[in-house]
Amino acid sequence: MTVVELIERKRDGGRLTPEEWHSLMAAYARGDVPDYQVAALAMAVYFRGMDDAETEALMTAMLESGRRLDLSHLTVARVDKHSTGGVGDKVSIILAPLVAACGAAVPMMSGRGLGHTGGTLDKLESIPGFETRLTLEQAAKQVERIGCALIGQTREIAPADRRFYALRDATATVEAIPLIAASIMSKKLAEGLTGLVLDVKTGAGSFMPRLEDAIKLARTMIALGERHGCPTVALLTDMDAPLGEACGNAVEVVESIEVLRGGGPADLREVTLALAAEMLLVGKVAADRATARAKVAEALMSGAALAKFREIVQAQGGHPGAVDDPVKHLPQAPLQVEVAAERAGVVQRVEPRVIGRAITTLGGGRQRVDDEIDHAVGFRLRVKPGSAVRPGETLATILARDATTLEAAREALLRAIVIGEEAPPARRRVSHRITSGGLEELTGPGAT
Ligand code: URA
């Protein structure tokens, strides 16, 4: 069977067998199949879709194109979280030390920012010296020693996905649910986990703005995890506005440390604590939700989570002073300018995509994977949808490198923050919980 015949079959609505996906992805990872053929196949999948068996075959083929983190000798739970990404989403930086401080091993693999969304690795690299490029062996040793490592996708993990994802990004074929699910899970299942929590974002700033798409993506990933023996649970969380107040890189690390110290914005705390409890449950570190919540609260209140973060920063070469005195040790923008409301009213929207793109304009995000970023720039937002404002009241502080980008960011900010008359309808920060058993709509506060 030639690659052209496989493309033809998919184009005409047929299916590829597991053996065909396997040999195609192995050949692609070796460089034996050209990008243009795989791009054509990706576009055929985009229009024709893939059923569960094909999605599973592609995921397994990409997983098996590389190596796995071997932590099977550890007796404790090995859990991670994956977020589908958004603006101001610094949850991983808090969650990893928090859950590790509760006794689980957290081999956390994160990504870089691209487009309007930020990336955990970029944020962490605003800590002077912090090294995210660990080998699998280094990551395994660190997890064994201190219970956590914060790393990027190494060259050894799912190399077929690495190549395929970059190609999809350049050919407008990222937004296909089976391709996204197979891509994410090929990396997560390489971590050798005993449990995985998915933070699937919904709303204007998310990858999947429509609720039904977010649910479908979550279900597809859960099925892949469960079939590979990794209990997987998803929470649907809101990304209709930036999460927390800080949006950028260093400024998000500062806010993460505030949460690890027991403070921080309420929305960020709520989402983080819900995901942390879920990780303890899926890893069987806690037998029930009340115990999981109590463990998480204790790890924050006792300072154990903050101490664990300091340990991780030190283990990965970062300046430990960044944890205790972030303002002194993290990069600071030379221009820090407050922007005030021009009229009275109630904030209707804080458009996450506009804020995300403005971070890139400031120099803090990338258009292309190899762009350099400025860690110091970004925003500290002072309002949320529903906030009442008076004229002259501060909406946000812009952190900028120069006057030109500052002006562009000010214009974007005033466009992003829409002020009207009536309070907008409240949105749940954590709206649904999905397992292989079904979907649960979450209602009262603390339901998760
Ligand atoms: N993140 C991934 O790792 N893969 C996708 O396909 C989309 C988001």
Side-chain angles (χ1 to χ4, degrees), residues 98-115:
L98 176 57
V99 172
C102 292
V106 188
M108 186 171 273
M109 194 166 42
S110 302
R112 296 200 177 272
L114 195 61

PDB file of all heavy atoms in Angstrom, residues 98-115:
ATOM      1  N   LEU A  98       1.916  21.617  44.611  1.00  0.00           N
ATOM      2  CA  LEU A  98       0.839  21.395  45.582  1.00  0.00           C
ATOM      3  C   LEU A  98       0.497  19.904  45.689  1.00  0.00           C
ATOM      4  O   LEU A  98       0.402  19.346  46.797  1.00  0.00           O
ATOM      5  CB  LEU A  98      -0.384  22.220  45.137  1.00  0.00           C
ATOM      6  CG  LEU A  98      -1.674  22.091  45.916  1.00  0.00           C
ATOM      7  CD1 LEU A  98      -1.454  22.435  47.385  1.00  0.00           C
ATOM      8  CD2 LEU A  98      -2.756  23.032  45.343  1.00  0.00           C
ATOM      9  N   VAL A  99       0.339  19.269  44.545  1.00  0.00           N
ATOM     10  CA  VAL A  99      -0.036  17.845  44.561  1.00  0.00           C
ATOM     11  C   VAL A  99       1.146  16.987  45.016  1.00  0.00           C
ATOM     12  O   VAL A  99       0.975  16.002  45.741  1.00  0.00           O
ATOM     13  CB  VAL A  99      -0.598  17.432  43.178  1.00  0.00           C
ATOM     14  CG1 VAL A  99      -0.823  15.941  43.090  1.00  0.00           C
ATOM     15  CG2 VAL A  99      -1.902  18.189  42.909  1.00  0.00           C
ATOM     16  N   ALA A 100       2.362  17.397  44.626  1.00  0.00           N
ATOM     17  CA  ALA A 100       3.546  16.652  45.092  1.00  0.00           C
ATOM     18  C   ALA A 100       3.662  16.768  46.617  1.00  0.00           C
ATOM     19  O   ALA A 100       4.021  15.799  47.293  1.00  0.00           O
ATOM     20  CB  ALA A 100       4.805  17.179  44.411  1.00  0.00           C
ATOM     21  N   ALA A 101       3.319  17.942  47.154  1.00  0.00           N
ATOM     22  CA  ALA A 101       3.385  18.126  48.612  1.00  0.00           C
ATOM     23  C   ALA A 101       2.338  17.268  49.334  1.00  0.00           C
ATOM     24  O   ALA A 101       2.452  17.012  50.531  1.00  0.00           O
ATOM     25  CB  ALA A 101       3.183  19.604  48.968  1.00  0.00           C
ATOM     26  N   CYS A 102       1.325  16.819  48.580  1.00  0.00           N
ATOM     27  CA  CYS A 102       0.292  15.949  49.174  1.00  0.00           C
ATOM     28  C   CYS A 102       0.689  14.465  49.066  1.00  0.00           C
ATOM     29  O   CYS A 102      -0.094  13.589  49.425  1.00  0.00           O
ATOM     30  CB  CYS A 102      -1.042  16.166  48.473  1.00  0.00           C
ATOM     31  SG  CYS A 102      -1.768  17.777  48.769  1.00  0.00           S
ATOM     32  N   GLY A 103       1.856  14.186  48.504  1.00  0.00           N
ATOM     33  CA  GLY A 103       2.347  12.805  48.522  1.00  0.00           C
ATOM     34  C   GLY A 103       2.315  12.073  47.194  1.00  0.00           C
ATOM     35  O   GLY A 103       2.727  10.912  47.122  1.00  0.00           O
ATOM     36  N   ALA A 104       1.829  12.710  46.112  1.00  0.00           N
ATOM     37  CA  ALA A 104       1.844  12.029  44.810  1.00  0.00           C
ATOM     38  C   ALA A 104       3.116  12.411  44.066  1.00  0.00           C
ATOM     39  O   ALA A 104       3.722  13.441  44.352  1.00  0.00           O
ATOM     40  CB  ALA A 104       0.623  12.450  43.997  1.00  0.00           C
ATOM     41  N   ALA A 105       3.501  11.576  43.101  1.00  0.00           N
ATOM     42  CA  ALA A 105       4.593  11.949  42.201  1.00  0.00           C
ATOM     43  C   ALA A 105       3.980  12.655  41.001  1.00  0.00           C
ATOM     44  O   ALA A 105       2.980  12.183  40.453  1.00  0.00           O
ATOM     45  CB  ALA A 105       5.350  10.699  41.759  1.00  0.00           C
ATOM     46  N   VAL A 106       4.572  13.792  40.621  1.00  0.00           N
ATOM     47  CA  VAL A 106       4.002  14.582  39.520  1.00  0.00           C
ATOM     48  C   VAL A 106       5.070  14.827  38.443  1.00  0.00           C
ATOM     49  O   VAL A 106       5.840  15.784  38.519  1.00  0.00           O
ATOM     50  CB  VAL A 106       3.454  15.942  40.028  1.00  0.00           C
ATOM     51  CG1 VAL A 106       2.698  16.671  38.917  1.00  0.00           C
ATOM     52  CG2 VAL A 106       2.552  15.764  41.240  1.00  0.00           C
ATOM     53  N   PRO A 107       5.114  13.932  37.441  1.00  0.00           N
ATOM     54  CA  PRO A 107       6.035  14.178  36.327  1.00  0.00           C
ATOM     55  C   PRO A 107       5.317  15.065  35.315  1.00  0.00           C
ATOM     56  O   PRO A 107       4.646  14.569  34.422  1.00  0.00           O
ATOM     57  CB  PRO A 107       6.278  12.766  35.770  1.00  0.00           C
ATOM     58  CG  PRO A 107       5.053  11.988  36.125  1.00  0.00           C
ATOM     59  CD  PRO A 107       4.363  12.675  37.275  1.00  0.00           C
ATOM     60  N   MET A 108       5.406  16.384  35.481  1.00  0.00           N
ATOM     61  CA  MET A 108       4.544  17.257  34.690  1.00  0.00           C
ATOM     62  C   MET A 108       5.244  17.729  33.413  1.00  0.00           C
ATOM     63  O   MET A 108       6.298  18.350  33.471  1.00  0.00           O
ATOM     64  CB  MET A 108       4.093  18.452  35.519  1.00  0.00           C
ATOM     65  CG  MET A 108       3.081  19.306  34.767  1.00  0.00           C
ATOM     66  SD  MET A 108       2.347  20.567  35.805  1.00  0.00           S
ATOM     67  CE  MET A 108       0.961  19.740  36.562  1.00  0.00           C
ATOM     68  N   MET A 109       4.597  17.405  32.291  1.00  0.00           N
ATOM     69  CA  MET A 109       5.154  17.826  31.005  1.00  0.00           C
ATOM     70  C   MET A 109       4.265  18.921  30.435  1.00  0.00           C
ATOM     71  O   MET A 109       3.074  18.731  30.263  1.00  0.00           O
ATOM     72  CB  MET A 109       5.200  16.638  30.052  1.00  0.00           C
ATOM     73  CG  MET A 109       6.045  16.914  28.852  1.00  0.00           C
ATOM     74  SD  MET A 109       6.450  15.429  27.935  1.00  0.00           S
ATOM     75  CE  MET A 109       4.946  14.540  27.944  1.00  0.00           C
ATOM     76  N   SER A 110       4.863  20.066  30.158  1.00  0.00           N
ATOM     77  CA  SER A 110       4.076  21.220  29.709  1.00  0.00           C
ATOM     78  C   SER A 110       4.565  21.707  28.355  1.00  0.00           C
ATOM     79  O   SER A 110       5.574  21.235  27.839  1.00  0.00           O
ATOM     80  CB  SER A 110       4.204  22.350  30.722  1.00  0.00           C
ATOM     81  OG  SER A 110       3.777  21.922  31.986  1.00  0.00           O
ATOM     82  N   GLY A 111       3.851  22.721  27.843  1.00  0.00           N
ATOM     83  CA  GLY A 111       4.183  23.235  26.521  1.00  0.00           C
ATOM     84  C   GLY A 111       4.566  24.701  26.549  1.00  0.00           C
ATOM     85  O   GLY A 111       4.609  25.341  27.604  1.00  0.00           O
ATOM     86  N   ARG A 112       4.824  25.218  25.357  1.00  0.00           N
ATOM     87  CA  ARG A 112       5.152  26.639  25.191  1.00  0.00           C
ATOM     88  C   ARG A 112       3.945  27.367  24.646  1.00  0.00           C
ATOM     89  O   ARG A 112       3.034  26.757  24.087  1.00  0.00           O
ATOM     90  CB  ARG A 112       6.307  26.798  24.201  1.00  0.00           C
ATOM     91  CG  ARG A 112       7.558  26.168  24.725  1.00  0.00           C
ATOM     92  CD  ARG A 112       8.821  26.661  24.094  1.00  0.00           C
ATOM     93  NE  ARG A 112       9.933  25.999  24.763  1.00  0.00           N
ATOM     94  CZ  ARG A 112      10.530  26.449  25.854  1.00  0.00           C
ATOM     95  NH1 ARG A 112      10.160  27.595  26.386  1.00  0.00           N
ATOM     96  NH2 ARG A 112      11.502  25.773  26.435  1.00  0.00           N
ATOM     97  N   GLY A 113       3.973  28.701  24.808  1.00  0.00           N
ATOM     98  CA  GLY A 113       2.866  29.504  24.290  1.00  0.00           C
ATOM     99  C   GLY A 113       2.944  29.598  22.783  1.00  0.00           C
ATOM    100  O   GLY A 113       4.023  29.610  22.208  1.00  0.00           O
ATOM    101  N   LEU A 114       1.790  29.613  22.170  1.00  0.00           N
ATOM    102  CA  LEU A 114       1.720  29.815  20.725  1.00  0.00           C
ATOM    103  C   LEU A 114       0.379  30.489  20.436  1.00  0.00           C
ATOM    104  O   LEU A 114      -0.617  30.176  21.090  1.00  0.00           O
ATOM    105  CB  LEU A 114       1.817  28.460  20.011  1.00  0.00           C
ATOM    106  CG  LEU A 114       2.110  28.521  18.507  1.00  0.00           C
ATOM    107  CD1 LEU A 114       3.437  29.183  18.201  1.00  0.00           C
ATOM    108  CD2 LEU A 114       2.112  27.122  17.918  1.00  0.00           C
ATOM    109  N   GLY A 115       0.373  31.414  19.477  1.00  0.00           N
ATOM    110  CA  GLY A 115      -0.880  32.120  19.191  1.00  0.00           C
ATOM    111  C   GLY A 115      -1.277  32.968  20.382  1.00  0.00           C
ATOM    112  O   GLY A 115      -0.437  33.617  20.999  1.00  0.00           O
TER     113      GLY A 115
END
